[in-house]
Amino acid sequence: MKPTTDLCDANENLIAQGVLRVVEPMFQSWGKKAAFSGQAHTLKVFEDNTLVRAALEKDGSGKVLVVDGGGSKRCALVGGNLGVLAEKNNWAGVVVYGCVRDTLELNACDIGVRALAAHPQKSEKRGAGHENITVALGHVRVSPGNWIYADEDGVLVSDQSVF
């Protein structure tokens, strides 16, 4: 994967058109992969990770799970067990607009993880939420199938592949 800085420099026209969007800097990084990319599989949940587990139990085929947790910092939506599931089931990475936990376990997984913060409390299990809808990472919209590019410099969302 090309660095996000190079992708921005080479695609200024797509940024101006809104096709390529830069997510505001807000994420911390976990997992062995500092850089990852893939098409988005989206979830919208709030303080409930039932759908997160269900998604990560399926073959990710190199996709990035994008979890819009509403920016809540009151519990974690992804932890070490889900990181292991993501690695086992071929997910390239997970981007959480919310929190994670078990960070030492996540750091041992061969995936990339971005989240707002670490939080020790687990989420509820109500089974609430939506899958494969347009979600938001802060002020940036992400639709199913969009391309996610993440590295040490940030997270990009694109309506099309920019390689």
Side-chain angles (χ1 to χ4, degrees):
M1 182 182 110
K2 287 184 182 178
T4 56
T5 52
D6 291 349
L7 292 174
C8 286
D9 291 351
N11 294 286
E12 290 178 352
N13 61 326
L14 296 179
I15 293 172
Q17 296 168 17
V19 173
L20 177 62
R21 300 172 293 286
V22 180
V23 178
E24 62 191 271
M26 63 177 127
F27 293 115
Q28 296 182 45
S29 177
W30 290 277
K32 287 184 180 178
K33 289 188 178 177
F36 59 93
S37 64
Q39 286 189 283
H41 180 90
T42 61
L43 296 176
K44 173 73 174 161
V45 300
F46 189 74
E47 299 178 359
D48 178 347
N49 76 344
T50 307
L51 292 181
V52 178
R53 173 175 285 282
L56 293 175
E57 286 176 340
K58 300 173 189 164
D59 180 17
S61 302
K63 292 183 180 179
V64 175
L65 183 63
V66 177
V67 181
D68 178 354
S72 173
K73 293 183 180 176
R74 299 191 310 190
C75 66
L77 295 173
V78 174
N81 290 338
L82 296 187
V84 170
L85 266 180
E87 179 182 0
K88 176 183 148 201
N89 291 322
N90 306 308
W91 291 87
V94 181
V95 179
V96 184
Y97 188 49
C99 294
V100 297
R101 67 187 218 153
D102 304 319
T103 59
L104 294 177
E105 293 174 29
L106 286 176
N107 283 337
C109 295
D110 194 25
I111 59 168
V113 177
R114 296 293 185 278
L116 298 178
H119 194 292
Q121 185 176 343
K122 66 182 178 180
S123 75
E124 295 184 20
K125 310 284 190 266
R126 299 181 313 271
H130 303 281
E131 187 169 20
N132 286 321
I133 64 167
T134 297
V135 299
L137 297 175
H139 300 292
V140 173
R141 67 175 169 71
V142 182
S143 295
N146 280 170
W147 287 87
I148 307 297
Y149 303 95
D151 67 12
E152 300 85 349
D153 288 314
V155 177
L156 306 176
V157 178
S158 182
D159 295 340
Q160 63 192 45
S161 174
V162 291
F163 277 143

